[in-house]
Amino acid sequence: MLIFKENISLKPYNTFGVEAHTKYFYKITNSLELKEVLLKNKAFPFRVLGGGSNVLFTENFEGLTLLIANRGIEVVNESTETVTVEVQAGENWHEFVLWCLNHNYGGVENLALIPGSVGAAPIQNIGAYGVELTSVFKSCKAFNTQTFKEEVLVKKDCEFGYRSSIFKTHQKEKFIITSVCFQLQKPPYYPTITYGALSTIFEGKTPSIQEVATAVIQIRESKLPDPKILGNSGSFFKNPLVSKSHHERLKASYPELPSYPSSDRQLKIPAAWLIDQLGFKGTQHGDAGVHKDQALVLVNLGNAKGKEILSLAQKIQTAVKETFNITLEREVNIL
Ligand code: EPU
């Protein structure tokens, strides 16, 4: 059922736990409600919220905040090897991963414990421990805010890249994702265990999907703060790509610099390492801080304002640029 509220705090709706108000707020539970609300409020700007785990509110909003809260998981197709599952956008991502593990469907076990909603997952092509959403994504239904019609977008339409898709680049704000279809694996599975820590844990073994998920959950819990306890939004920046020549110059000054091949011409550098080198890890700047165990995670240490966290992020970006000549791109959406 559609819920409408006026002048409410968005603090409970963002994992940073920062205070910001919205003039109008709608909790939407199906596509018809979404259409109705957008048609009725054409004069107002709108914003879409899922789990609120990739946003930083820096000011109040005079428009409509739409919380996408439609629920449901349904098997829509099945073969001997795979199953296609349609998941409504408002489902919690981790609960969906647990549902897959309970049903013995493989493919998302490396993505366990990522905060946020299913509908938000394609926007930044969530990824962790060697797997990205794109590897299981089949299609999604999305409401076109220009034509007021629902469309089906298949994988190639979405132009997935590292923490990127059309939904956060050139088609930003055009589509509101209402459901996602995933193609999942039935046994036998071929779990991805190539990522550093996983390859060490499972060396010489073929783990079950449940064992992989358990290991991922343990690793995440050991490094990443639980947003219910300490406000945060996961990685604040993307890991930057640098050219081979830039990498060679940096390596000459910093022989310990870690890097991963990304393409023929570029290497990926862990932003956390750069931030760590500059001494930011574990530091406090007012009520904003850099997590003590993962330098890529900015945290709300109490009652931080969004602007305080943003200013810390800018300080880090400036320092990284000055020292390493690398531009850190934000992963988190500033609103
Ligand atoms: N490192 C440091 N200091 C730190 C933390 C890490 O020097 O405080 C260095 C280490 O060399 C480490 C390397 O950075 O080997 C990589 O660290 P980690 O494995 O923790 O991964 P990450 O590159 O920092 C990325 C994703 C995470 C994802 C992990 C695991 C991005 C922006 N972040 O982090 O995603 O969980 O890999 O796959 O790509 C997220 O997007 O919100 C997120 C948490």
Side-chain angles (χ1 to χ4, degrees):
M1 196 191 65
L2 184 67
I3 293 175
F4 171 67
K5 291 179 185 170
E6 242 175 298
N7 289 318
I8 67 153
S9 164
L10 292 173
K11 194 169 178 168
Y13 299 103
N14 73 96
T15 59
F16 258 122
V18 298
E19 188 61 88
H21 278 70
T22 180
K23 181 117 196 213
Y24 305 112
F25 176 89
Y26 286 95
K27 183 173 173 183
I28 287 170
T29 55
N30 62 54
S31 303
L32 280 177
E33 290 174 357
L34 181 59
K35 185 173 180 175
E36 186 191 311
V37 167
L38 286 171
L39 279 172
K40 206 169 74 184
N41 293 285
K42 272 183 178 170
F44 294 98
F46 68 87
R47 280 174 183 170
V48 179
L49 262 191
S53 58
N54 207 38
V55 288
L56 177 63
F57 294 124
T58 56
E59 51 192 38
N60 294 334
F61 182 50
E62 291 301 313
L64 316 175
T65 298
L66 309 174
L67 180 72
I68 305 298
N70 53 343
R71 307 297 297 256
I73 305 179
E74 193 189 348
V75 172
V76 290
N77 205 345
E78 200 162 355
S79 72
T80 43
E81 284 122 37
T82 64
V83 59
T84 305
V85 179
E86 181 174 10
V87 189
Q88 300 302 308
E91 286 287 337
N92 172 273
W93 174 264
H94 181 61
E95 282 171 25
F96 166 58
V97 172
L98 295 179
W99 182 93
C100 294
L101 296 171
N102 285 336
H103 286 77
N104 283 314
Y105 298 149
V108 286
E109 52 283 354
N110 297 48
L111 305 177
L113 216 62
I114 295 184
S117 66
V118 166
I123 298 176
Q124 61 153 346
N125 183 22
I126 57 168
Y129 306 100
V131 172
E132 284 184 338
L133 175 108
T134 178
S135 65
V136 287
F137 179 96
K138 199 164 181 212
S139 64
C140 68
K141 286 186 187 148
F143 186 81
N144 183 324
T145 60
Q146 294 165 2
T147 61
F148 294 91
K149 290 200 174 99
E150 201 163 60
E151 294 181 20
V152 174
L153 287 91
V154 295
K155 197 191 302 205
K156 72 169 174 19
D157 299 327
C158 302
E159 297 174 24
F160 290 120
Y162 166 59
R163 295 294 190 277
S164 175
S165 74
I166 58 160
F167 306 109
K168 68 181 287 191
T169 53
H170 60 95
Q171 304 283 22
K172 198 175 173 186
E173 283 162 21
K174 179 171 169 189
F175 293 109
I176 300 176
I177 296 172
T178 53
S179 74
V180 184
C181 274
F182 298 96
Q183 183 160 315
L184 303 165
Q185 206 64 41
K186 288 183 176 179
Y189 309 109
Y190 308 97
T192 305
I193 47 169
T194 41
Y195 191 90
L198 291 183
S199 67
T200 315
I201 297 171
F202 296 118
E203 203 182 338
K205 296 185 193 133
T206 307
S208 67
I209 54 173
Q210 288 78 7
E211 283 169 328
V212 174
T214 303
V216 165
I217 290 170
Q218 274 169 5
I219 301 169
R220 287 189 77 97
E221 283 178 338
S222 71
K223 309 191 182 180
L224 297 169
D226 179 350
K228 289 195 195 89
I229 298 165
L230 188 62
N232 77 89
S233 191
S235 302
F236 198 91
F237 303 102
K238 292 187 193 183
N239 286 330
L241 295 172
V242 298
S243 66
K244 281 195 165 161
S245 56
H246 190 169
H247 174 257
E248 271 164 29
R249 283 196 301 278
L250 285 172
K251 194 85 180 163
S253 311
Y254 305 94
E256 308 289 308
L257 176 78
S259 63
Y260 313 95
S262 173
S263 67
D264 286 351
R265 287 173 293 124
Q266 289 184 306
L267 291 112
K268 196 183 266 186
I269 311 264
W273 188 88
L274 303 171
I275 299 167
D276 206 346
Q277 289 301 299
L278 295 170
F280 280 104
K281 188 150 127 182
T283 57
Q284 187 165 354
H285 308 251
D287 263 0
V290 179
H291 187 53
K292 62 178 181 36
D293 300 323
Q294 226 300 1
L296 198 46
V297 178
L298 303 192
V299 290
N300 177 358
L301 295 163
N303 283 313
K305 294 196 169 56
K307 285 207 164 100
E308 233 176 320
I309 296 171
L310 180 60
S311 135
L312 171 57
Q314 286 161 342
K315 201 184 274 182
I316 291 172
Q317 282 170 306
T318 305
V320 167
K321 180 76 187 168
E322 276 171 5
T323 309
F324 302 107
N325 193 23
I326 289 177
T327 303
L328 285 188
E329 221 181 290
R330 286 190 303 252
E331 185 184 304
V332 170
N333 203 2
I334 308 297
L335 295 175

